Amino acid sequence: MFTQKKITDNWDYFYKEIQQTAAAAVEKILSGNAAEQRPVENFAALISPAAAPFLEQMMQLSKRITQERFGKNMQLFIPMYLSNECQNICTYCGFSFTNKIPRKTLTDAEILQEIDIVKSYGYDNILLLTGEHDKLVGIDYLLHAVKLVKQHFSQVSIEVQPMEQHEYKLLKDAGVYAVLVYQETYHKEVYKTYHPKGKKSNFEYRLDTPDRLGKAGVYKIGLGVLLGLEDWRTDSYFNALHLDYLQKTYWQTKYSVSFPRIRPHEGDFAPKSVLSEKELVQLICAYRICFPDVELSLSSRERAQFRDIVLPYGITSMSAGSKTEPGGYSDSEALKQFEIHDDRTPAEIAAMIRSKQYEPVWKDWDAVLI
Ligand code: SF4
């Protein structure tokens, strides 16, 4: 288990190590010949302040590695929120338990209505999301929802509350392809202040979730931190160490990393550590250079122009046409979890991708292939 490695006890040590990286160390990494010679240890140097002047070089290397591994393809995905019920208090989230908002969990009829709209956009893969509520959106609700949705999509992924290994096995058997679970922050003490109540306040249980997923044999695990809760460099380095550990332990599993940056929501949460767009590009490139096979995902939280520019430099999947509230595709009046900054339609984003000589991909995997 990753918790047994006690890595997260050494936040200050890794923070200093990243800050004190010398430019010569970055130059040495970038002058290497093969991507395989750049292991996770180099990740700290590539996200350091010392690497900032080498951004153009990192972008070109990242672009080359991405095209070699993934071709000129961009997978599109769309989230479908099934519920905004949540028993947790997360101080940065619009769905937090104490927020007085209308709560909603979709019925079968409402899910089918959403499916009709999402299918009409051209999608054959979907990401299902819920808040974290044992009774209302626990394993029974999710299994039922997955079975219903799976009849209409080749690929179903979920981003829901952390579960037990046997529950993940049930979900996999019901047709779930990927499970996304973000640690939010790897800073143990600070984590508690952002998650004061509910099951999510258990730092270790969340940290061991990818291990339970790996043991359950889920095909793909999505990782990430909520960029802005703590120093983004140290958090990202821990995420990279976690990814490295998982890749070595559950080597048959695929992995993806997402880059959610804190955005405004009801309650006006201000990020502690602001990650600029330039730094976000540096982070994306560092992942690509050190983890050539990992899928990297950029959501419509980011503004349209930025997503257009960053497209060739490491990203392999993008959301398009997203709504972040339950029932959002048929009725957009309910409260959002966070603001979308790129509100173009899936067709508009697909056209943008084609204009850059890339191919938009609406699904890249099917259960019949295994
Ligand atoms: S981040 Fe997730 S667990 Fe936390 S309040 Fe929002 S929906 Fe609930």
Side-chain angles (χ1 to χ4, degrees):
M1 301 289 249
F2 191 63
T3 42
Q4 286 162 4
K5 297 178 98 58
K6 303 273 178 214
I7 288 172
T8 52
D9 291 342
N10 295 307
W11 179 277
D12 292 345
Y13 170 81
F14 287 117
Y15 173 81
K16 279 191 204 129
E17 192 176 310
I18 295 165
Q19 292 295 325
Q20 289 167 2
T21 302
V26 179
E27 264 184 303
K28 197 173 162 197
I29 295 164
L30 294 175
S31 63
N33 292 323
E36 286 73 14
Q37 289 165 9
R38 301 182 185 94
V40 63
E41 287 72 23
N42 293 334
F43 185 85
L46 293 181
I47 58 168
S48 71
F54 299 90
L55 185 58
E56 180 59 32
Q57 218 179 319
M58 286 176 67
M59 287 167 75
Q60 294 313 323
L61 180 56
S62 180
K63 182 178 175 180
R64 178 167 65 74
I65 296 170
T66 309
Q67 285 188 13
E68 280 169 9
R69 304 282 171 147
F70 297 90
K72 294 183 84 176
N73 297 303
M74 185 59 59
Q75 191 179 354
L76 294 175
F77 72 94
I78 192 161
M80 184 196 287
Y81 280 72
L82 299 177
S83 175
N84 62 0
E85 295 281 0
C86 194
Q87 292 171 313
N88 292 317
I89 296 180
C90 301
T91 56
Y92 48 82
C93 178
F95 291 173
S96 189
F97 179 68
T98 45
N99 284 358
K100 302 278 175 252
I101 56 165
R103 303 282 173 173
K104 185 172 181 56
T105 301
L106 299 189
T107 62
D108 285 4
E110 289 166 331
I111 293 174
L112 288 169
Q113 212 178 340
E114 294 282 279
I115 287 172
D116 274 351
I117 297 168
V118 169
K119 289 293 285 186
S120 74
Y121 297 154
Y123 282 103
D124 195 28
N125 64 343
I126 191 148
L127 172 65
L128 304 179
L129 297 97
T130 65
E132 300 193 8
H133 196 296
D134 273 342
K135 289 200 178 72
L136 297 174
V137 288
I139 184 67
D140 294 339
Y141 176 85
L142 283 171
L143 275 174
H144 178 77
V146 166
K147 285 173 188 163
L148 181 64
V149 173
K150 189 72 181 86
Q151 294 167 30
H152 303 270
F153 292 91
S154 297
Q155 195 183 80
V156 177
S157 302
I158 57 171
E159 189 180 329
V160 301
Q161 62 192 310
M163 295 195 166
E164 295 297 320
Q165 186 181 325
H166 71 275
E167 294 172 321
Y168 284 135
K169 177 78 172 62
L170 290 172
L171 287 163
K172 182 196 160 197
D173 292 344
V176 166
Y177 165 61
V179 178
L180 280 56
V181 58
Y182 305 147
Q183 185 59 30
E184 317 295 16
T185 176
Y186 285 82
H187 193 305
K188 210 186 284 186
E189 285 73 42
V190 167
Y191 181 94
K192 291 189 178 87
T193 66
Y194 287 122
H195 310 100
K197 281 220 164 76
K199 249 175 116 174
K200 193 167 174 178
S201 58
N202 187 336
F203 176 83
E204 282 79 13
Y205 185 73
R206 196 166 186 92
L207 195 59
D208 278 337
T209 305
D211 273 286
R212 295 195 296 279
L213 286 163
K215 287 177 184 159
V218 169
Y219 300 108
K220 187 167 93 178
I221 300 173
L223 303 174
V225 293
L226 186 50
L227 296 160
L229 287 187
E230 248 305 324
D231 174 62
W232 67 266
R233 292 187 170 90
T234 316
D235 249 338
S236 298
Y237 186 46
F238 277 113
N239 194 67
L241 287 168
H242 200 170
L243 171 62
D244 185 56
Y245 156 80
L246 291 166
Q247 281 185 325
K248 287 172 179 155
T249 311
Y250 311 101
W251 54 271
Q252 288 171 310
T253 308
K254 279 176 81 174
Y255 296 92
S256 65
V257 175
S258 304
F259 303 93
R261 284 199 302 164
I262 293 172
R263 289 293 189 186
H265 70 91
E266 275 204 354
D268 293 333
F269 181 85
K272 179 174 171 184
S273 156
V274 177
L275 173 70
S276 70
E277 288 182 344
K278 217 170 159 183
E279 289 168 330
L280 180 51
V281 176
Q282 183 185 349
L283 180 59
I284 291 167
C285 294
Y287 269 107
R288 175 56 64 229
I289 294 166
C290 296
F291 299 94
D293 297 319
V294 164
E295 294 178 18
L296 300 179
S297 181
L298 195 64
S299 81
S300 40
R301 277 176 185 244
E302 300 299 334
R303 64 190 179 94
Q305 205 190 1
F306 176 69
R307 295 214 307 164
D308 295 2
I309 293 168
V310 87
L311 186 142
Y313 300 109
I315 293 300
T316 54
S317 73
M318 286 183 148
S319 55
S322 307
K323 302 285 182 190
T324 65
E325 64 271 29
Y329 298 104
S330 3
D331 164 22
S332 58
E333 295 303 308
L335 187 105
K336 301 177 180 72
Q337 189 187 30
F338 56 85
E339 290 293 334
I340 293 300
H341 284 240
D342 183 350
D343 57 5
R344 289 173 293 180
T345 64
E348 286 169 335
I349 291 185
M352 175 277 289
I353 291 169
R354 280 192 205 95
S355 75
K356 293 179 180 292
Q357 282 77 53
Y358 275 69
E359 188 59 36
V361 179
W362 304 90
K363 84 161 186 188
D364 74 343
W365 183 90
D366 198 306
V368 297
L369 301 176
I370 57 168

